[in-house]
Amino acid sequence: MNVYEEAHNLARAIKESNEFKEFDRLKKEVDRDPQLSAMLKDLQMKQIQLQTKQMTEGKMDSELMGQIQSMVTMLTAKPQAAQYLQAEARFSIMMKDVSEILADAINIKSML
């Protein structure tokens, strides 16, 4: 068995999955709306900031969390943004599951 060939097969399977196709379709729609795209990018940056603070400081930044919650509330009121965020979440869950399957197969759970 060629590991690289199997990795390419997995990449193709991911690209052909409903989760990826829907996420990709909605991402392209969002990208056509510069204002919505900017709002979603800002949300993602704040989420990354929150995760970074949690990892480095070991605690939750309640002010930043409040900002994120407000942004999510505002964005989910927009149907296109809500659909995108749901598709992004489904795709992220699928990718997390794949990573866990791979890690479990070689017994490296501590890395995830």
Side-chain angles (χ1 to χ4, degrees):
M1 176 187 322
N2 183 323
V3 173
Y4 296 102
E5 185 177 322
E6 293 301 322
H8 287 289
N9 289 336
L10 176 58
R12 275 190 294 281
I14 290 169
K15 284 183 79 172
E16 293 171 7
S17 72
N18 291 333
E19 292 86 351
F20 176 77
K21 287 179 181 179
E22 183 68 1
F23 171 68
D24 189 50
R25 181 184 70 78
L26 290 166
K27 174 83 172 107
K28 288 174 183 169
E29 280 184 25
V30 163
D31 286 345
R32 287 193 292 265
D33 182 338
Q35 184 180 11
L36 182 57
S37 181
M39 291 170 69
L40 286 164
K41 284 179 184 164
D42 189 33
L43 172 63
Q44 290 169 339
M45 291 303 296
K46 288 193 183 310
Q47 289 171 327
I48 291 169
Q49 285 177 329
L50 181 65
Q51 290 171 350
T52 302
K53 281 190 173 208
Q54 284 177 301
M55 289 172 38
T56 59
E57 299 173 13
K59 61 182 179 177
M60 183 71 84
D61 182 329
S62 57
E63 181 181 331
L64 189 53
M65 186 65 186
Q67 291 173 9
I68 290 170
Q69 288 173 337
S70 294
M71 292 175 77
V72 168
T73 299
M74 182 176 55
L75 282 165
T76 54
K78 300 173 181 280
Q80 187 179 27
Q83 289 176 343
Y84 170 80
L85 290 170
Q86 290 169 358
E88 180 183 49
R90 284 190 298 274
F91 179 66
S92 293
I93 289 168
M94 182 190 71
M95 293 302 295
K96 179 183 138 310
D97 291 346
V98 168
S99 293
E100 287 176 357
I101 291 166
L102 294 172
D104 189 46
I106 57 175
N107 201 21
I108 58 167
K109 284 191 179 255
S110 62
M111 293 182 68
L112 297 178

